[in-house]
Amino acid sequence: MSKYSFTNYYLSLILLILISNNMAIANSSEKQNLLLISSYHPNFPTFFQQIDGLRSELPPEKYNLDVEFMDSKRFPDTNTENNFFQYLRNKIKKLPQYNLIFTSDDNALNFIIKHHNELFENIPIVFLGVNNLENAELQNQNKLITGIVEVASITETINLAKDIIPDLTNIIAISDGTPSGTADLKSFLSIRKQFSHLNLSYFSLTELSWEELASKIKNLNSQSCIILLSAYRDKFNKSKFFPQSLDLIISNSPVPVFHLWEHGLGDGIIGGQVISHFQQGKQAGIMAKKILSGINISNLKVETKSPNISVLDYNVLKKFELSDDKLPANIMYINKPISTFQKNKKAIYLISLIIIFLSISIFVLIFNIQRRKAEEKKSRKSEKVFRALFNQSSHFIGILTLNGKLYRANTPALDAVGLKESDVYGQYFWETPWWVNTGYEEKLKEALKKAATGEVVRFIATHNFYDGKEIIVNFSAKPIYDDNNQVTDILVEGLDITKFRRIEERLKHVEKMESVGILAGGVAHDFNNMLGGIIGCAESLQKLIQHNPDAEKFLNMIIESSEKAAKLIKNLLAFSRKQQIFFTAIDVHKVIEDSVMLLTHTVDKRIQIVSKLYAEISSISGDQSQLQNIFLNLGINASHAMTGGGRLTFSTKIIQFDATYCSTSPFKLVPGDYLQIDVSDNGSGISEENLKHIFDPFFTTKEQGKGTGLGLSAVYGTVIQHMGAITVHSELGFGTVFNIYLPLSKQEKTEDFTSIPQSATQEGSILMVDDDKIMRLTAKKILESLGCTVTLATNGQEALELFSKAPDKFDLVILDMVMPKINGYDCFKEITRIRPNICIILSSGYTSDTFIEDMKQHGLYGYITKPYRAKDLCNLVCKALESINKKISISEY
């Protein structure tokens, strides 16, 4: 082995040891993830130079650098870009998030500008190799993009050629039709005036084939040189890789070939003021390190000065017998002979390097010792953090051996049974106070066996270790793995889900109430039709049978019983929230005061009624009569619980519900201010079992015949219809309190001063639409008694046929809501489309608030609820016919 080889061997060994130590140090910290999006493909000559430049500042020991290729040089179409976008979007979803993105060349920059927010939102971008100076400078306005432009040094390269070739007269540029080639040719031709003493011309592959280009190059004289701009596709769109096209040009050229990029140097290119893609990558790497270290990207403006360098191939220079005497000293050379001193200077510095190495080795050893101490300190800190998380968790946590013995338990789990960790250490888990005598021992053993084999097991268990109070625990047993993916221990957890289960039960109750409400609303229509027919027939008989006291008595009993049934249906509709109510701004305090006054004259005089109306604001949007029914209902129920006297209290205050509370509530609440109304008594209270059914329809604890069981269900329905909530709390022997929450309104209270006319007769043509035969006939009889002409229709379709034949025939349409074929709402829309100004009254047992509001917006005159009395129908029809004659809009009845 020669002395030179010997020194090189030891030098390599020393460097390898140094690099290994440095890598060990670097690997102790987490790497940053970077991505380079290249406009072209891996075989493109600039790619590896850019990578080398980036790696000179961003070594792989500290930075992971991924690369994606758009291949837009060979496939410059929209489909390629769209396919690349879809591919990249799907890929990055499965990768760790990148800390910074590089883009290489113009196409990649344009791509990232277009898709930045979709692919890499808020991730900084550094571009390099960009030729479009205007587009590059425009990115100074983008707070997340900066970079380095790539500007070809055509003028400087021509000056370099003049200095090398004394008799130079002709400069020929070679270009093709690619975007970069076209742009560079345009820049070349734009400087003709600057070099008027030279002939600047070009060979364009958009006009030439490869063979024709070779022929033209062969004929150049010695006073010429070539500047290669771009040569990838000829006029027949025949492509060549750069090495192939360069070989064709060099092999046929009798004159020096200059280039504006460093690729090609060493392969026959003489050189030039070249764009160094290594320097482009290096500058981009420097920018990236600044950004990753915390410098705001907005402070790093786009670098518009391209980091180009002057490079010559010494072999090519001598091939053409050219002199470099006139060139500046900063010219870089390749293939220039190295002096003897330069060849051996490594050996000269070997001893110094060994000394340095030994010094560094000592330093590394000291550093490693310090690092180990730091790791030990970090480990102690990690254990401290683990203990804090372990013991401050809301879960009950324990760690078991594979055979089920406990060796770690956290503070919440130990506090639950009042023990220390030493009291249960080493015990089989199913024999500990958490599980012994619970009935779950065998199930627990089976769960731990499965967890020891790698399975996660869960089940729900009931415990009584909180001072005997029952709690529900969501228990799980999970395997713990080592670095070799082997199960070493078992992690057991328990979460107290008692509150969640209670909420779940409440939600199920709400769903049950909703189902009953839907059923109640569904049958209400048929009941109200029947009752309407009964009342109508009875009132018609009253007119026919006069001066017969016995008959009048029985008819009055029929009407009275029907009205009671109608009230029952009304309560059902209130519960099901399908009863049409009319909202106005009302003062709840005034409603409570009126209710208290009524209750004072109604309930047992031994009961003291107290009002504590402390709320500063008490205005809501609601139905006054419905709210008064709530307070009267609750007050009367409370009086029944205080048979020996007592205290009934109405109190108010303002409470605020936030978004979190509303999202977890079983009621449909919106965030905001609410009026809380508490109705409390100190009566006998309600048992826990009865509380579960307190709002169920037809549920009552009263004797048969003394209650329908619809009072509280109607209260519940009314509160829900007012977008509020209601809860009840009670304990036997200690009284009951109902909490009602209603959303506050800023509207002022309004009064309705609408009067009802008492016209005895009224003429008019009326279209009566109802699917119930008795309702049609009784209504016809009532309306004809007014002097009206009545046409009957059994459903919406028949009504539309009658109306469309003679739309001007009718003065008024009375329309049922629930009908076969075409319902009242759709029929209303069609009738008003045919004749927009027609007067229409809606008659129904129930209907949706939404439908009513929509129909009112489109001209609905009024609404009458079934079952109705003859006088009510007569009054509403008279009002309607009079308003038609006077052309006055009167609010609904």
Side-chain angles (χ1 to χ4, degrees):
M1 183 181 290
S2 67
K3 181 180 179 181
Y4 180 72
S5 300
F6 183 84
T7 55
N8 272 325
Y9 171 79
Y10 277 99
L11 178 63
S12 300
L13 182 62
I14 291 165
L15 290 174
L16 180 62
I17 295 171
L18 286 173
I19 290 171
S20 299
N21 276 284
N22 288 334
M23 287 182 67
I25 295 168
N27 285 334
S28 64
S29 60
E30 188 177 353
K31 293 184 180 181
Q32 304 244 36
N33 294 314
L34 313 174
L35 172 65
L36 168 64
I37 299 176
S38 175
S39 297
Y40 306 131
H41 53 90
N43 220 20
F44 199 75
T46 64
F47 168 70
F48 287 103
Q49 296 161 3
Q50 292 172 343
I51 289 293
D52 289 343
L54 287 169
R55 278 305 190 195
S56 69
E57 294 297 326
L58 305 167
E61 297 82 25
K62 294 184 179 179
Y63 304 90
N64 290 321
L65 178 62
D66 294 340
V67 183
E68 299 291 348
F69 300 97
M70 294 178 65
D71 208 4
S72 61
K73 179 68 102 177
R74 295 187 295 178
F75 306 99
D77 56 273
T78 306
N79 286 335
T80 300
E81 180 183 329
N82 292 338
N83 291 338
F84 178 74
F85 168 75
Q86 295 296 335
Y87 156 79
L88 189 58
R89 183 175 65 177
N90 292 332
K91 187 172 183 179
I92 62 177
K93 290 178 182 177
K94 302 175 183 178
L95 296 173
Q97 184 173 350
Y98 289 105
N99 302 99
L100 185 139
I101 311 297
F102 294 104
T103 67
S104 168
D105 299 297
D106 294 79
N107 290 346
L109 175 60
N110 294 333
F111 173 85
I112 205 68
I113 291 170
K114 183 178 179 181
H115 299 294
H116 189 189
N117 288 337
E118 295 175 81
L119 297 175
F120 307 109
E121 186 177 7
N122 295 325
I123 297 177
I125 309 295
V126 176
F127 62 80
L128 61 147
V130 170
N131 302 109
N132 189 331
L133 182 61
E134 181 180 355
N135 188 31
E137 290 183 325
L138 192 62
Q139 302 316 309
N140 282 321
Q141 301 173 19
N142 194 319
K143 296 181 179 179
L144 286 172
I145 300 181
T146 189
I148 305 102
V149 300
E150 178 185 287
V151 181
S153 300
I154 299 175
T155 301
E156 292 80 359
T157 300
I158 292 174
N159 287 328
L160 185 61
K162 283 168 53 185
D163 292 338
I164 297 173
I165 308 171
D167 56 346
L168 182 65
T169 58
N170 299 312
I171 299 178
I172 298 93
I174 295 177
S175 181
D176 60 9
T178 60
S180 57
T182 303
D184 290 335
L185 180 59
K186 184 178 179 182
S187 300
F188 173 81
L189 295 176
S190 69
I191 61 174
R192 278 177 165 173
K193 292 182 180 180
Q194 186 177 342
F195 299 97
S196 57
H197 58 290
L198 296 174
N199 178 27
L200 272 62
S201 60
Y202 65 93
F203 296 155
S204 176
L205 282 166
T206 60
E207 304 166 354
L208 302 171
S209 67
W210 291 110
E211 293 75 15
E212 291 169 343
L213 175 65
S215 177
K216 282 185 172 290
I217 292 172
K218 285 180 180 179
N219 296 323
L220 294 176
N221 60 45
S222 61
Q223 294 178 314
S224 305
C225 74
I226 293 172
I227 294 183
L228 175 57
L229 300 178
S230 182
Y232 293 95
R233 291 196 298 271
D234 67 3
K235 69 178 182 180
F236 298 115
N237 209 28
K238 183 178 179 182
S239 298
K240 286 183 182 291
F241 289 109
F242 178 78
Q244 297 170 318
S245 63
L246 179 61
D247 182 65
L248 180 143
I249 294 167
I250 296 297
S251 62
N252 288 284
S253 176
V255 298
V257 178
F258 290 83
H259 199 206
L260 303 177
W261 293 267
E262 63 184 349
H263 52 279
L265 286 167
D267 296 321
I269 294 287
I270 190 169
Q273 179 79 8
V274 300
I275 292 171
S276 172
H277 290 95
F278 177 89
Q279 291 297 327
Q280 287 270 327
K282 185 177 182 67
Q283 290 295 104
I286 292 170
M287 277 188 167
K289 283 203 299 187
K290 290 179 179 179
I291 295 167
L292 294 172
S293 68
I295 294 177
N296 194 320
I297 194 170
S298 301
N299 297 329
L300 300 176
K301 298 300 181 183
V302 171
E303 180 57 64
T304 57
K305 185 178 180 182
S306 184
N308 301 346
I309 56 175
S310 296
V311 183
L312 290 175
D313 189 333
Y314 191 85
N315 289 341
V316 179
L317 193 70
K318 295 307 175 185
K319 172 186 173 183
F320 289 101
E321 300 179 349
L322 300 173
S323 172
D324 59 351
D325 294 340
K326 296 182 179 180
L327 297 179
N330 63 345
I331 293 289
M332 294 177 61
Y333 290 90
I334 64 170
N335 296 323
K336 193 170 185 179
I338 302 173
S339 66
T340 305
F341 174 77
Q342 289 175 317
K343 286 182 180 179
N344 295 286
K345 66 179 179 181
K346 291 182 180 177
I348 296 172
Y349 294 118
L350 178 59
I351 298 175
S352 300
L353 187 60
I354 292 173
I355 295 172
I356 294 171
F357 163 69
L358 293 173
S359 300
I360 291 174
S361 297
I362 293 170
F363 171 77
V364 169
L365 289 172
I366 294 171
F367 178 81
N368 282 336
I369 293 170
Q370 294 298 325
R371 190 184 65 182
R372 287 196 187 98
K373 289 182 177 179
E375 289 294 335
E376 290 174 2
K377 185 177 180 181
K378 185 178 179 181
S379 178
R380 289 193 296 270
K381 185 176 180 181
S382 296
E383 173 66 17
K384 186 177 181 181
V385 171
F386 167 76
R387 285 183 175 275
L389 293 173
F390 187 69
N391 289 317
Q392 293 177 20
S393 171
S394 59
H395 293 206
F396 308 137
I397 304 175
I399 303 177
L400 316 177
T401 62
L402 291 181
N403 62 359
K405 288 186 177 182
L406 179 75
Y407 69 88
R408 291 293 295 269
N410 72 344
T411 301
L414 293 168
D415 289 346
V417 290
L419 296 174
K420 298 177 182 177
E421 192 172 70
S422 58
D423 297 330
V424 289
Y425 181 85
Q427 291 186 19
Y428 287 108
F429 193 44
W430 50 86
E431 294 178 354
T432 61
W434 293 286
W435 295 99
V436 69
N437 297 326
T438 61
Y440 292 100
E441 292 92 337
E442 293 303 319
K443 189 172 185 177
L444 177 62
K445 288 179 185 179
E446 188 64 28
L448 296 180
K449 285 181 183 178
K450 291 180 179 179
T453 63
E455 189 176 341
V456 176
V457 186
R458 302 178 187 277
F459 62 84
I460 305 298
T462 302
H463 290 270
N464 293 286
F465 45 76
Y466 271 158
D467 298 329
K469 187 176 181 180
E470 182 180 276
I471 68 164
I472 303 169
V473 175
N474 185 355
F475 173 79
S476 65
K478 306 171 187 176
I480 299 175
Y481 296 92
D482 62 12
D483 294 339
N484 298 319
N485 205 31
Q486 296 296 315
V487 180
T488 58
D489 303 278
I490 301 172
L491 176 70
V492 290
E493 289 183 284
L495 175 63
D496 184 351
I497 60 169
T498 310
K499 291 183 180 179
F500 298 106
R501 280 300 177 93
R502 300 293 181 260
I503 293 173
E504 184 180 8
E505 290 173 2
R506 288 177 62 190
L507 285 171
K508 287 180 180 178
H509 179 70
V510 170
E511 289 174 359
K512 180 186 73 173
M513 300 289 277
E514 184 71 19
S515 300
V516 175
I518 292 170
L519 175 64
V523 301
H525 172 261
D526 292 335
F527 273 127
N528 282 326
N529 275 342
M530 294 175 191
L531 293 173
I534 293 170
I535 292 173
C537 291
E539 289 186 323
S540 297
L541 283 173
Q542 280 183 325
K543 293 182 180 179
L544 296 175
I545 303 173
Q546 296 182 357
H547 309 298
N548 187 334
D550 289 336
E552 287 183 4
K553 176 182 177 183
F554 286 115
L555 288 173
N556 285 332
M557 289 173 64
I558 291 171
I559 294 171
E560 184 179 340
S561 297
S562 298
E563 287 183 333
K564 287 181 179 179
K567 285 185 179 180
L568 187 65
I569 297 301
K570 185 175 181 182
N571 283 338
L572 269 174
L573 287 175
F575 166 72
S576 66
R577 305 188 299 283
K578 287 183 167 36
Q579 182 184 13
Q580 174 64 17
I581 64 174
F582 299 96
F583 285 87
T584 59
I586 58 175
D587 184 354
V588 177
H589 284 177
K590 179 66 169 58
V591 178
I592 293 174
E593 289 169 355
D594 292 344
S595 302
V596 168
M597 183 180 67
L598 290 172
L599 289 169
T600 303
H601 296 87
T602 304
V603 302
D604 191 329
K605 302 299 181 183
R606 291 174 294 176
I607 296 174
Q608 180 187 8
I609 304 176
V610 179
S611 296
K612 297 181 179 180
L613 310 181
Y614 298 141
E616 300 87 354
I617 303 172
S618 59
S619 179
I620 72 159
S621 178
D623 186 302
Q624 182 166 330
S625 62
Q626 294 279 9
L627 289 178
Q628 189 167 64
N629 284 340
I630 290 176
F631 303 137
L632 291 175
N633 216 318
L634 294 178
I636 291 170
N637 276 1
S639 70
H640 293 163
M642 297 183 288
T643 54
R647 184 184 180 92
L648 173 61
T649 305
F650 291 84
S651 62
T652 64
K653 65 179 179 180
I654 295 174
I655 189 172
Q656 188 177 63
F657 292 150
D658 58 19
T660 302
Y661 179 86
C662 293
S663 64
T664 58
S665 172
F667 299 96
K668 296 179 181 178
L669 304 176
V670 296
D673 293 331
Y674 283 73
L675 181 66
Q676 178 178 333
I677 308 152
D678 298 335
V679 182
S680 59
D681 66 69
N682 59 352
S684 57
I686 306 168
S687 69
E688 185 175 349
E689 182 61 30
N690 288 339
L691 272 178
K692 296 178 182 178
H693 307 283
I694 195 72
F695 296 120
D696 289 1
F698 306 112
F699 175 77
T700 180
T701 57
K702 298 176 183 177
E703 298 176 15
Q704 188 171 359
K706 291 190 177 182
T708 63
L710 283 173
L712 289 179
S713 60
V715 168
Y716 179 89
T718 301
V719 171
I720 300 304
Q721 200 167 10
H722 281 72
M723 301 304 292
I726 182 169
T727 59
V728 58
H729 305 278
S730 185
E731 191 174 345
L732 287 174
F734 293 94
T736 303
V737 57
F738 285 86
N739 309 114
I740 300 169
Y741 306 93
L742 300 174
L744 287 170
S745 169
K746 296 181 180 179
Q747 294 180 341
E748 295 295 328
K749 180 180 178 298
T750 58
E751 299 289 347
D752 185 7
F753 294 103
T754 305
S755 60
I756 302 174
Q758 299 296 328
S759 302
T761 61
Q762 189 68 254
E763 295 182 357
S765 178
I766 300 174
L767 176 59
M768 177 70 193
V769 189
D770 202 301
D771 66 321
D772 188 85
K773 181 179 179 180
I774 297 176
M775 287 300 301
R776 289 197 306 273
L777 294 177
T778 53
K780 184 174 186 296
K781 185 73 174 176
I782 293 168
L783 296 172
E784 285 178 343
S785 69
L786 287 175
C788 297
T789 302
V790 182
T791 302
L792 298 179
T794 60
N795 55 58
Q797 182 175 320
E798 185 180 342
L800 285 176
E801 291 172 356
L802 291 170
F803 190 82
S804 59
K805 289 178 183 177
D808 296 327
K809 171 184 175 181
F810 301 104
D811 300 307
L812 176 66
V813 178
I814 300 177
L815 192 61
D816 189 13
M817 191 65 179
V818 181
M819 296 184 294
K821 296 184 179 181
I822 298 178
N823 63 29
Y825 179 71
D826 293 333
C827 186
F828 171 85
K829 290 195 293 184
E830 285 299 311
I831 288 176
T832 53
R833 184 185 62 80
I834 297 169
R835 183 177 159 192
N837 62 345
I838 183 67
C839 185
I840 299 178
I841 293 173
L842 186 66
S843 167
S844 183
Y846 79 95
T847 189
S848 167
D849 294 347
T850 305
F851 285 147
I852 288 288
E853 291 302 318
D854 184 62
M855 294 165 79
K856 284 167 66 178
Q857 293 287 332
H858 292 85
L860 179 67
Y861 173 78
Y863 174 84
I864 187 167
T865 305
K866 294 179 183 178
Y868 47 75
R869 298 293 300 271
K871 62 175 181 173
D872 297 329
L873 180 62
C874 291
N875 285 338
L876 182 57
V877 169
C878 288
K879 280 174 57 181
L881 293 175
E882 284 183 5
S883 70
I884 293 169
N885 295 330
K886 295 178 182 180
K887 296 181 180 180
I888 298 174
S889 176
I890 303 177
S891 60
E892 66 266 8
Y893 174 61

